[in-house]
Amino acid sequence: MATETLTKLTEQKQSLQEKLEAESEQASSLQEKISTMEVDVFSKRQDMATHGGVNASLDNTKAVAKQIRVLENRLDKGLQKFNEAIAANRSLREQIDTLRRERVVFDDIYRKLENELQSKKKDSLLPDGQHH
């Protein structure tokens, strides 16, 4: 019976040694992964530090929002000036149309006066070319 116990203990020892080796290999593998992750985390922290840190995204969003507000304000002012220019142009067009109508009336009056003057000149001449 002592040999059987010794054999069982030897087998148990062998089994435990195999498990220990497997666990050691797994621990080494995990330690390598931990080291790789630590290097990766350190690298990411350095990247964040060079690119504005944790608040970089928030700062960028605020900057973009401010730029949008500035550009919208410029657009509003530009549209206001554009509308004012359109109103001024409308007023000037109305003045031009009024002046054109007045010119037609004055041209008509001038033409009638010219005709009347020519008519009076003809009437004032005698048939033999002498005046009345």
Side-chain angles (χ1 to χ4, degrees):
M1 182 134 182
T3 6
E4 282 180 25
T5 305
L6 190 57
T7 306
K8 282 184 182 178
L9 287 175
T10 305
E11 287 174 1
Q12 259 184 341
K13 178 185 168 195
Q14 186 67 29
S15 173
L16 288 174
Q17 278 182 335
E18 288 172 4
K19 284 182 181 179
L20 181 63
E21 286 175 19
E23 291 293 327
S24 293
E25 285 178 24
Q26 191 175 6
S28 292
S29 173
L30 288 173
Q31 191 58 46
E32 283 180 35
K33 286 181 181 178
I34 288 171
S35 296
T36 303
M37 287 299 203
E38 285 175 345
V39 168
D40 204 23
V41 166
F42 182 73
S43 171
K44 296 287 184 209
R45 284 185 179 160
Q46 281 186 324
D47 283 349
M48 283 175 41
T50 57
H51 295 101
V54 178
N55 295 327
S57 176
L58 183 61
D59 292 343
N60 189 30
T61 303
K62 285 181 181 178
V64 168
K66 181 178 180 184
Q67 187 67 18
I68 288 171
R69 281 194 311 275
V70 167
L71 292 174
E72 284 177 343
N73 191 27
R74 280 190 204 162
L75 176 63
D76 287 342
K77 287 181 180 179
L79 285 173
Q80 189 176 11
K81 284 184 181 180
F82 177 71
N83 289 334
E84 289 170 1
I86 287 176
N89 284 348
R90 186 178 302 121
S91 173
L92 290 172
R93 279 195 185 100
E94 288 173 2
Q95 287 179 4
I96 289 170
D97 289 343
T98 301
L99 291 171
R100 282 182 176 156
R101 283 191 296 276
E102 288 177 6
R103 180 178 175 200
V104 167
V105 170
F106 287 130
D107 283 348
D108 190 40
I109 292 171
Y110 180 78
R111 187 178 40 78
K112 286 179 181 175
L113 288 173
E114 270 297 310
N115 289 340
E116 191 176 326
L117 178 63
Q118 293 300 325
S119 173
K120 295 226 183 221
K121 281 185 180 180
K122 282 183 188 177
D123 289 345
S124 68
L125 288 178
L126 294 174
D128 61 355
Q130 293 182 1
H131 293 294
H132 282 286

